[in-house]
């Protein structure tokens, strides 16, 4: 009953929530940003050249999230995609194109 209380979600009315969360995610994934991780608030893109590398990179990212007590919803995740629609663009092995 007494002790330390922690929010498990961002409290209502916290006006700087997106900025604060983005700062946290940048600091957690800093070592891998622009190497194989692209980050926008709560969207994490992991890029790789083959499936073996993708599995290794995904495990690295998931391990870092777990280490910092950040959790994902598996039903919102997609792994081993060959094409991704992101911010109005289509990213694939052919390159980046506008999402029509």
């Amino acid at each position: 009953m007494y002790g330390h209380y922690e929010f498990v979600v961002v409290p209502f009315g916290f006006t700087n929530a997106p900025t604060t969360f983005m700062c946290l995610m940048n600091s957690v994934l800093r070592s891998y940003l622009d190497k194989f991780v692209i980050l926008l608030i709560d969207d994490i893109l992991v890029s790789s050249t083959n499936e073996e590398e993708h599995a290794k990179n995904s495990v690295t990212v998931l391990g870092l999230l777990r280490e910092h007590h950040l959790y994902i919803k598996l039903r919102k995740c997609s792994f081993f995609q060959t094409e991704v629609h992101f911010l109005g663009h289509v990213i694939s092995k052919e390159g980046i194109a506008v999402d029509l």
Side-chain angles (χ1 to χ4, degrees):
M1 189 151 133
Y2 298 103
H4 177 73
Y5 294 95
E6 253 181 53
F7 289 107
V8 293
V9 296
V10 177
F12 181 74
F14 185 38
T15 58
N16 293 328
T19 305
T20 302
F21 187 74
M22 189 72 197
C23 184
L24 170 66
M25 294 302 290
N26 278 327
S27 67
V28 168
L29 297 171
R30 175 168 280 122
S31 300
Y32 303 105
L33 291 176
D34 297 329
K35 292 181 182 163
F36 61 84
V37 172
I38 297 172
L39 179 64
L40 180 68
I41 304 179
D42 63 346
D43 290 327
I44 303 170
L45 298 182
V46 178
S47 63
S48 312
T49 56
N50 58 54
E51 287 186 11
E52 183 179 305
E53 182 183 13
H54 189 66
K56 179 181 167 229
N57 292 346
S58 296
V59 167
T60 299
V61 169
L62 293 172
L64 278 171
L65 294 174
R66 176 186 277 181
E67 183 181 315
H68 290 87
H69 305 285
L70 298 167
Y71 302 98
I72 61 169
K73 288 187 178 181
L74 194 55
R75 65 181 167 82
K76 291 185 172 185
C77 297
S78 299
F79 296 96
F80 299 98
Q81 301 296 302
T82 57
E83 182 177 282
V84 177
H85 296 257
F86 186 68
L87 296 176
H89 295 82
V90 179
I91 305 166
S92 68
K93 64 182 176 181
E94 284 79 35
I96 300 173
V98 176
D99 191 3
L100 300 175

